[in-house]
Amino acid sequence: MFEKKQIRASLRLGSVCAILGTVMYVASGVLHGPLSGSEGAEILFRHVLERPYWTLIHLVSMLAILLWLVAFAALARSFGASGEDSAFSSLLGQLAVVNLTVGAAVSFLHFSIDGYVLTELAYKWAASAPAEQEEAVRMGEVVHTLLRRPLFVVEILFLFGLPIALIGLGIALDREYPAWF
């Protein structure tokens, strides 16, 4: 009985974290503004400089992902409570949390580069004489390529892809949750 109360309390906390994390992530995305991924460094620098809260946007995104991690851990903890027939769902929940942790780590790297390094390059570019701006532009192009290709693909796979699929399958297989859920 005590274990069920702990699981319910954990699920309540996880629900709050999931909702709050999603609201924060969406808000930070709106404040971030649209970028197609094919911008040149100068356009990207202007985009960053137009947002004095650029670093804060990325910190809020990081906090949102941490809240999602708490939510996934709470949900995964609830799997397998009905006995051995739910052991596989428990394993899926644990794998979802591991994948989300990897996605969070990659996202934190991405957001650190995007939120801090890009900001520093944008300020360097804006403060430089036109002849010296070329170095900042070249560095910005390298940073932008790193962000939009390898990091972004891994981030999407491990933050939004695998964890959601695994936790969804865990819910479907766990006997504690209704079949329609």
Side-chain angles (χ1 to χ4, degrees), residues 14-81:
S15 299
V16 170
C17 288
I19 293 166
L20 186 58
T22 300
V23 168
M24 290 171 64
Y25 198 84
V26 169
S28 66
V30 169
L31 291 173
H32 186 282
L35 289 170
S36 68
S38 60
E39 297 84 7
E42 291 181 35
I43 293 171
L44 190 59
F45 291 159
R46 285 188 185 94
H47 184 83
V48 170
L49 293 171
E50 290 170 358
R51 290 158 178 81
Y53 45 84
W54 187 254
T55 302
L56 181 61
I57 290 170
H58 294 83
L59 291 173
V60 169
S61 296
M62 292 169 145
L63 181 57
I65 292 170
L66 284 176
L67 291 171
W68 287 344
L69 197 51
V70 171
F72 268 63
L75 188 54
R77 182 174 183 242
S78 74
F79 292 168

Side-chain angles (χ1 to χ4, degrees), residues 91-133:
L91 176 64
L92 290 171
Q94 291 170 9
L95 286 173
V97 171
V98 167
N99 277 277
L100 188 64
T101 303
V102 170
V106 173
S107 292
F108 288 7
L109 176 62
H110 182 168
F111 293 150
S112 297
I113 294 169
D114 195 17
Y116 180 74
V117 174
L118 214 50
T119 302
E120 291 299 312
L121 285 173
Y123 283 121
K124 178 181 178 180
W125 172 79
S128 298
E132 298 166 352
Q133 287 181 335

